[in-house]
Amino acid sequence: MNVVPQPTLLPVDWWALGAVIALSVGSILLLLLEFIPPRPNGDRGPLLSMLALIVAGYAAYSVRDAKRALFEGMFVHDGLTVFFTLLFCAIGAVAVLMSWNYAKRTRIGQPEYYALLLTAIMGMVVMAASNDLITIFLGLELMSLSLYVMVGFRRHQLESNEAALKYFLLGAFASGFLLYGIALTYGATGETNLVLAGRVLAGMPASTLAQVGLGMLLIGFGFKVAAVPFHMWAPDVYDGAPTPVTGFMATGVKTAGFIALVRVLNDGFPSLTDLWQPALAVLAILSIVVGNVVALAQTSMKRLLAYSSISHAGYLLVAVWAASPAGHMAVLLYLWAYSLTSLAAFGMVAAVEHVGARTVRIEDLEGLFRTRPWGALSMSVCLLSLLGFPGTFGFIGKWLIMTATLEHGQVVLPVLVGLGSLVSLGYYLPVIMAMTMKPERTPDVHRQVLVSKAGKVIIAGAVAAIIFLGIWPRIPLDLGRRTVESMTKPAVVAAEQP
């Protein structure tokens, strides 16, 4: 009797899935807290969330040198996955600490708030690790559905309800474009796996079906990263959402969208660079111009930072356009610098914001240096880093973007990055001047500025990192180089033992 040999299957590396498992368990336990009588201080939600994020980060870091392709290649654990899993866990930890005091003041500190936060982070991790269009879509929807609720968590405020409705309607519309692009790509290649689809497209002329599918995917991702002309949701949603949620969205959502876009274009459509590079160049130019110009007219700090975020999406699109290891490293480090800086900036805005008051305006920051000198200086450093001032981490990111594009002989895009940074002086410097050079509007205007001990540690650490990494960038450069190199190494296929 002939015995059919059984294929040898490697066991699943559960440590590679440790981050997703930890976040899933943490979100479930937070929901179960509803059945337990609350403690007087109500700190169980933040503490459990921090524990889940720490475990998730440790699980990813413990197998940082392993590269695995799980679930038939749909989920990839490589250097890129580890880098962004740690970044997402750090963003989530900062968002939890920002929400801790803010939630008490605004009475939104229910356990489901933190459960939604962990669920959104889990979706971001899935997007960063996805090597398949289906899992990218699942991760994106897991992230988006959680954020739709978090944006409208202040149920008794009209602005929050309006922001949630706009985000939900436009987000669902964009998800339709993305799903349609996935369907067309599958129709053109017969594959949803990015690597396999890329091989099919490389071996034949680009069909109309593949070109339209690529265009639909770019539209879907353009919405998620708030690139012009798909940015219309960002200012209203950023302004209406609770400030910690705004900071979380401005960093986490943008980071997840860009890493998924890099994987899709680098692995799925490397043979169609002649098609998607011009499209990215147009989106980058529009985002840089519109974001910086419209930000000049803003008086609300959250709307100013929203249009600033749109311009930064343009800078990142320039780095993605390069389609090279230097461009990928620029994307990694710029997202790192932008996340670090924006979280600290939104943390200061959350501290200045009063309960039940209107959104924080630039005039509300006048004279902040006299009452809260360290807070004003910290905010100034963050804005200078967003500007790309030499000696800050933001300058290193923009320098890498310009050098990555110059390597390809491109001159227009790096010049535009420099001009966009020059225009941004017009809205970053007035905020710094208002805090440091103008007198207080009333004697007690800043007496209610509250920064918790955890918030002070976060903001001080972020400012120190911005300056240190801007002066001594060897650590992020080496880390970025190793992460990009790991993307080219083959993954070991892992499956369950029969």
Side-chain angles (χ1 to χ4, degrees):
M1 182 176 66
N2 295 329
V3 179
V4 179
Q6 296 293 327
T8 302
L9 299 178
L10 297 175
V12 171
D13 190 346
W14 291 108
W15 280 107
L17 294 174
V20 176
I21 295 172
L23 294 171
S24 301
V25 173
S27 60
I28 293 172
L29 291 178
L30 282 167
L31 292 177
L32 293 177
L33 287 179
E34 287 289 334
F35 299 98
I36 303 175
R39 293 172 55 187
N41 55 11
D43 289 342
R44 295 179 305 184
L47 291 175
L48 184 55
S49 301
M50 290 296 296
L51 178 61
L53 291 169
I54 292 172
V55 173
Y58 174 77
Y61 184 77
S62 62
V63 287
R64 60 191 178 278
D65 296 326
K67 184 167 184 179
R68 295 286 186 269
L70 297 89
F71 308 117
E72 298 184 357
M74 298 180 74
F75 188 97
V76 175
H77 177 84
D78 56 8
L80 205 64
T81 303
V82 174
F83 180 92
F84 281 100
T85 299
L86 294 176
L87 181 58
F88 290 139
C89 290
I91 291 173
V94 175
V96 170
L97 294 176
M98 286 173 56
S99 303
W100 203 323
N101 188 47
Y102 185 91
K104 291 180 179 179
R105 286 189 289 144
T106 56
R107 299 179 181 178
I108 63 170
Q110 294 92 341
E112 59 266 26
Y113 173 86
Y114 297 99
L116 289 168
L117 182 66
L118 293 185
T119 306
I121 297 171
M122 182 168 57
M124 296 173 186
V125 172
V126 172
M127 288 180 67
S130 292
N131 193 40
D132 194 282
L133 291 172
I134 294 177
T135 49
I136 287 177
F137 181 75
L138 291 176
L140 186 144
E141 288 303 297
L142 187 62
M143 173 189 72
S144 299
L145 291 173
S146 302
L147 287 170
Y148 296 154
V149 182
M150 293 180 68
V151 168
F153 219 82
R154 294 188 298 181
R155 295 182 291 272
H156 303 295
Q157 290 197 1
L158 180 62
E159 296 82 1
S160 186
N161 296 330
E162 180 184 355
L165 183 60
K166 287 181 178 179
Y167 192 32
F168 170 71
L169 293 177
L170 293 175
F173 189 66
S175 296
F177 275 101
L178 190 66
L179 193 58
Y180 194 34
I182 293 173
L184 293 178
T185 302
Y186 177 75
T189 62
E191 301 286 350
T192 56
N193 184 280
L194 293 175
V195 175
L196 297 180
R199 291 174 183 173
V200 173
L201 292 174
M204 67 178 190
S207 63
T208 303
L209 205 61
Q211 295 179 32
V212 176
L214 174 60
M216 294 295 168
L217 290 174
L218 290 179
I219 291 175
F221 283 114
F223 172 86
K224 293 303 175 183
V225 302
V228 177
F230 314 109
H231 68 291
M232 67 289 295
W233 62 274
D236 292 335
V237 173
Y238 280 28
D239 199 25
T243 304
V245 177
T246 304
F248 178 67
M249 288 178 58
T251 54
V253 174
K254 191 177 295 294
T255 300
F258 268 106
I259 186 54
L261 179 62
V262 168
R263 282 204 187 271
V264 168
L265 297 180
N266 182 65
D267 297 336
F269 297 91
S271 61
L272 302 184
T273 54
D274 293 340
L275 294 176
W276 56 259
Q277 276 188 329
L280 289 187
V282 172
L283 293 177
I285 293 171
L286 291 175
S287 300
I288 294 173
V289 173
V290 173
N292 283 309
V293 171
V294 179
L296 293 172
Q298 302 305 312
T299 57
S300 166
M301 279 301 302
K302 291 169 74 172
R303 294 184 74 88
L304 184 149
L305 291 174
Y307 281 104
S308 169
S309 174
I310 293 170
S311 67
H312 287 285
Y315 302 143
L316 284 161
L317 286 171
V318 173
V320 177
W321 176 93
S324 64
H328 296 156
M329 188 171 72
V331 173
L332 265 63
L333 296 191
Y334 198 86
L335 286 171
W336 183 359
Y338 175 77
S339 300
L340 184 68
T341 305
S342 291
L343 283 172
F346 278 108
M348 280 303 306
V349 174
V352 174
E353 188 175 27
H354 298 162
V355 179
R358 57 176 169 79
T359 183
V360 177
R361 300 185 181 276
I362 298 177
E363 62 185 19
D364 297 330
L365 300 176
E366 293 179 357
L368 181 63
F369 180 77
R370 298 187 178 184
T371 307
R372 299 288 189 272
W374 291 109
L377 291 176
S378 299
M379 186 69 169
S380 300
V381 171
C382 293
L383 296 178
L384 290 175
S385 182
L386 291 172
L387 170 65
F389 193 80
T392 62
F393 197 13
F395 172 78
I396 302 299
K398 288 188 178 179
W399 178 263
L400 291 174
I401 290 175
M402 290 189 285
T403 55
T405 50
L406 287 172
E407 288 180 359
H408 291 266
Q410 172 62 249
V411 178
V412 176
L413 292 178
V415 168
L416 187 64
V417 171
L419 291 176
S421 300
L422 187 63
V423 173
S424 64
L425 281 168
Y427 57 87
Y428 287 135
L429 287 186
V431 179
I432 298 174
M433 293 175 63
M435 292 188 296
T436 58
M437 298 184 181
K438 292 187 178 181
E440 298 174 324
R441 299 178 66 86
T442 59
D444 298 329
V445 65
H446 298 307
R447 303 300 177 186
Q448 297 182 2
V449 174
L450 298 175
V451 182
S452 63
K453 293 181 179 179
K456 292 178 181 179
V457 172
I458 292 172
I459 295 173
V463 171
I466 290 169
I467 297 174
F468 176 76
L469 297 177
I471 298 175
W472 187 256
R474 168 176 279 185
I475 296 175
L477 290 175
D478 291 342
L479 180 59
R481 191 174 296 109
R482 290 197 302 268
T483 302
V484 172
E485 289 175 354
S486 71
M487 296 171 60
T488 61
K489 297 179 181 178
V492 178
V493 179
E496 293 189 25
Q497 186 73 27

